[in-house]
Amino acid sequence: MTSDYTRFATRAIHAGQKPDPATGAIMTPIYQTATYAQPSPGKFIEEFDYSRSANPTRTALEANLASLEGGRFGLCFGSGCAAMDCVLHLLSPGDHVILCDDVYGGTNRLFHRVYNTHGIEVSLVDLTDHDKAKATFTDRTKLVWLETPTNPMLKVVDIASMAELCKGGGTMLAVDNTFATPVLQNPLALGADIVCHSSTKYIGGHSDVVGGALITQDEALHDRLKFVQNSVGAVPGPMDCFLLLRSTKTIHVRVDRHCENAMQIAQHLENHARFTSVVYPGLPSHPQHAVATKQMSGFGGMITATMDGGLEDARSFLERLKVFTIAESLGGVESLIESPAIMTHAAVPTDQRATLGITDGLVRFSVGIEDVADLIEDIEQALG
Ligand code: P1T
């Protein structure tokens, strides 16, 4: 499924896509069909028999995303949560999972409130602490699941060192690469077995699609995941796949600008008296800045910062912003801002939030690609 092109920008635009054989249409058509005519019973044209199993618009997107992550196989889903769920279906009762302590609230909920009840034991661990991570492995540990940078605290986990810990023990390493994007970080090259994306975010880039993806190198693992994808059926429709294919053509350009804008805003906030802490992997003050520099080619568009007052202070700041919009989600061209404690991470138990630093004064910026001077002016007027 990988493309012949070696350079990222060319793969972003061409991988998985060729002019439509029927008409020469340059853009992969939206194959809005549930089923396919069979020339003879049980004989298909290519792999297409029914659109839950395969659809040409989705096949093109799956090949494109596989190529962007440097993987051989891609699978797309109706949401990032559906992609995660597909991996968790590979587990059996009694299996043990190590989950990074700081993850999207919905990820925490899926592992703890859905799969825990199916007999999967989950250990939440700060995976930036190598020794702590190592000590958590048991002979039943089948999966390590991490995000890096994490949502929302932007911790950076050393992927290669986690891959080393998983090696040899039959433990799969899955990395949610949503915040980093395939432009800035490729976990498969660092030893991960599975890369997961909420393609709702930077892959889509325009806040108009909900989707998810899994990318792998190993054919046997891909076949197991594809079996679940088809059996459970949480697949995206062809229109959403078309929109995502259109988006990946510009992902490298968008992500570069997200990084530039976020760096300037992080530096600005760091010098601001109203914020007691500013977390951005590109700042030398970030505790894992060295790891980020080693495994990422840029630092992304997400910033978290703690305001000196509590929730009311954060609320009035958010309400006064004019360019930033208060909303869940991230990774779109437009700037968004939110309060994790009462929005994206409200599903995380209060004690866990406190341990992680998800306080009431924490705000999370998804820095868009508007003119950065307007973004900084907006922040200033809202604080003033
Ligand atoms: O929303 P969905 O496409 O199902 O993706 C879930 C998901 C998975 N992984 C990460 C790192 C995520 O951030 C998300 C979704 N996150 C948000 C909606 C949010 O505002 O943080």
Side-chain angles (χ1 to χ4, degrees):
M1 283 170 106
T2 45
S3 93
D4 299 334
Y5 308 114
T6 52
R7 295 183 180 85
F8 189 95
T10 312
R11 284 185 275 131
I13 293 167
H14 296 288
Q17 298 151 87
K18 52 184 185 312
D20 181 44
T23 62
I26 285 287
M27 290 301 141
T28 304
I30 304 165
Y31 283 92
Q32 194 72 48
T33 187
T35 191
Y36 307 86
Q38 302 188 9
S40 173
K43 286 214 165 70
F44 319 144
I45 298 171
E46 298 185 28
E47 76 267 41
F48 303 112
D49 64 333
Y50 185 61
S51 275
R52 171 164 34 75
S53 312
N55 174 284
T57 320
R58 192 174 97 214
T59 301
L61 175 64
E62 291 177 338
N64 183 261
L65 294 180
S67 172
L68 295 192
E69 280 292 0
R72 291 174 63 208
F73 306 101
L75 292 171
C76 288
F77 297 85
S79 69
C81 286
M84 287 187 256
D85 178 69
C86 181
V87 177
L88 292 175
H89 268 95
L90 301 184
L91 302 175
S92 306
D95 286 350
H96 173 240
V97 175
I98 298 176
L99 175 64
C100 182
D101 58 353
D102 187 42
V103 285
Y104 168 55
T107 304
N108 185 306
R109 180 176 56 204
L110 181 66
F111 278 74
H112 282 101
R113 304 218 354 234
V114 179
Y115 278 89
N116 245 359
T117 63
H118 292 296
I120 309 292
E121 188 197 340
V122 181
S123 299
L124 268 184
V125 187
D126 177 2
L127 297 181
T128 63
D129 183 336
H130 183 268
D131 293 342
K132 213 183 246 175
K134 192 172 176 185
T136 316
F137 277 76
T138 75
D139 55 3
R140 294 181 295 105
T141 308
K142 291 288 159 37
L143 175 69
V144 172
W145 187 283
L146 63 90
E147 295 175 2
T148 180
T150 63
N151 183 359
M153 298 310 293
L154 304 174
K155 296 189 198 186
V156 175
V157 180
D158 188 328
I159 298 171
S161 96
M162 281 304 124
E164 202 55 44
L165 287 182
C166 291
K167 227 194 235 163
T171 306
M172 280 185 301
L173 175 62
V175 176
D176 184 331
N177 207 30
T178 299
F179 271 37
T181 83
V183 182
L184 305 177
Q185 175 173 278
N186 296 126
L188 295 177
L190 299 169
D193 299 294
I194 302 174
V195 171
C196 174
H197 278 281
S198 166
S199 44
T200 318
K201 313 297 177 336
Y202 291 98
I203 287 175
H206 297 74
S207 303
D208 51 8
V209 180
V210 173
L214 297 175
I215 298 106
T216 51
Q217 289 285 21
D218 180 84
E219 190 160 9
L221 177 57
H222 166 73
D223 288 347
R224 289 169 70 205
L225 293 166
K226 189 171 170 57
F227 176 80
V228 176
Q229 181 202 40
N230 185 42
S231 304
V232 174
V235 293
M239 176 73 188
D240 284 357
C241 294
F242 171 85
L243 286 169
L244 291 169
L245 271 174
R246 181 184 168 134
S247 294
T248 55
K249 292 182 193 300
T250 56
I251 190 171
H252 47 297
V253 185
R254 287 185 280 109
V255 169
D256 279 357
R257 183 60 68 84
H258 283 292
C259 293
E260 270 175 44
N261 284 1
M263 180 62 103
Q264 284 197 48
I265 292 177
Q267 286 167 342
H268 184 84
L269 297 178
E270 208 178 29
N271 295 320
H272 213 292
R274 293 287 302 282
F275 294 95
T276 52
S277 82
V278 177
V279 185
Y280 181 65
L283 293 175
S285 60
H286 188 287
Q288 295 93 36
H289 179 61
V291 182
T293 304
K294 183 180 75 168
Q295 70 187 16
M296 302 175 78
S297 59
F299 303 108
M302 301 300 295
I303 303 170
T304 48
T306 308
M307 299 198 70
D308 51 2
L311 184 60
E312 286 321 307
D313 194 34
R315 191 192 297 279
S316 79
F317 169 57
L318 265 58
E319 284 174 357
R320 290 158 74 133
L321 286 161
K322 296 193 170 104
V323 184
F324 282 85
T325 303
I326 305 170
E328 305 214 0
S329 202
L330 57 115
V333 290
E334 70 295 325
S335 292
L336 302 180
I337 193 157
E338 64 120 6
S339 163
I342 55 170
M343 294 172 67
T344 51
H345 290 70
V348 178
T350 318
D351 58 325
Q352 280 178 33
R353 285 208 306 268
T355 311
L356 289 166
I358 307 176
T359 58
D360 288 351
L362 187 76
V363 293
R364 189 189 73 180
F365 298 78
S366 171
V367 177
I369 64 170
E370 300 95 336
D371 191 308
V372 70
D374 286 330
L375 297 177
I376 290 173
E377 266 176 37
D378 192 33
I379 291 168
E380 281 305 312
Q381 69 75 24
L383 290 170

